[in-house]
Amino acid sequence: MQSKHLLISLFALALAAPVLADDNPLGTSPACGPAQDSNPDSRSPQSVVQALYEIVSGPAGAKKDWERMDKLFAPGAIVTPTSHREPGFQAAPQTPRQFAALNDRLLGQRGFFEREVAHQVSQFGHIAHMHSSYETRERPDGPVQRRGVNSLQLMHDGARWCVLSITWDAETPAHPIPASLERPKS
């Protein structure tokens, strides 16, 4: 009988805890991670994405600033590279650190330059979704190697923007980049 009363008391305490607690039930750290000094990379969804393009781009053998990239991601964020290879479309969700290691392995010994062509942002309150079309080259002035669209979920924790998830899909004849994400005509 005593264990039954203890169980009821613990249950009642658990129900009352959110009412009694004067701290944030989701934790005390900002949603984008520990507070940082003012980071211009995190002032808007567009500045976050521009920083990501800068970080992954560089000549063969260049050391990329993965620490800068880490500061752009929320704790628990995922990066999902995709591929159109046999046996079909594949996706490999991973942590930003795993993505950095994959990037170094696959692109470290060759030039890789990615730049934005166009973007669309849909924002509500503290959350945003961004589609950013891209082109990749082996040299900044070289021919386009690949085109596609990055899809990002971003969040503003009251102090800065950060990435919750990013994935992308390369353009294929079956799904070309939509006109709304093409380079504006001059």
Side-chain angles (χ1 to χ4, degrees):
M1 186 67 154
Q2 188 174 11
S3 64
K4 181 178 178 184
H5 290 292
L6 179 62
L7 184 61
I8 291 171
S9 296
L10 289 174
F11 182 69
L13 183 60
L15 289 176
V19 175
L20 299 174
D22 50 19
D23 63 336
N24 183 341
L26 298 177
T28 57
S29 295
C32 288
Q36 303 175 19
D37 293 335
S38 178
N39 181 352
D41 290 342
S42 299
R43 71 182 178 283
S44 69
Q46 294 86 345
S47 64
V48 169
V49 173
Q50 181 59 40
L52 289 171
Y53 283 125
E54 291 172 8
I55 293 163
V56 300
S57 297
K63 181 165 172 31
K64 297 184 178 162
D65 191 349
W66 299 125
E67 185 177 319
R68 179 184 177 200
M69 187 185 80
D70 285 345
K71 293 176 182 177
L72 298 175
F73 285 87
I78 61 168
V79 178
T80 306
T82 66
S83 175
H84 291 268
R85 294 195 176 121
E86 291 305 321
F89 182 75
Q90 299 171 345
Q94 52 200 254
T95 68
R97 292 227 179 235
Q98 289 170 315
F99 166 75
L102 177 69
N103 185 288
D104 282 340
R105 187 169 49 87
L106 297 178
L107 303 173
Q109 298 310 310
R110 63 176 212 164
F112 181 82
F113 295 86
E114 184 175 34
R115 70 175 194 84
E116 183 174 77
V117 173
H119 68 262
Q120 296 174 331
V121 179
S122 176
Q123 183 177 336
F124 175 78
H126 289 265
I127 59 174
H129 183 261
M130 184 174 197
H131 280 122
S132 173
S133 58
Y134 64 84
E135 297 175 335
T136 66
R137 296 172 164 80
E138 289 187 6
R139 296 182 324 276
D141 60 346
V144 172
Q145 301 290 312
R146 177 164 283 134
R147 293 170 13 118
V149 175
N150 287 308
S151 175
L152 300 98
Q153 288 184 305
L154 301 112
M155 171 179 53
H156 193 276
D157 68 2
R160 62 192 168 126
W161 284 97
C162 62
V163 177
L164 295 171
S165 69
I166 180 172
T167 191
W168 55 90
D169 196 0
E171 181 179 47
T172 69
H175 59 274
I177 292 177
S180 61
L181 288 170
E182 284 286 3
R183 180 176 286 111
K185 305 288 185 211
S186 32

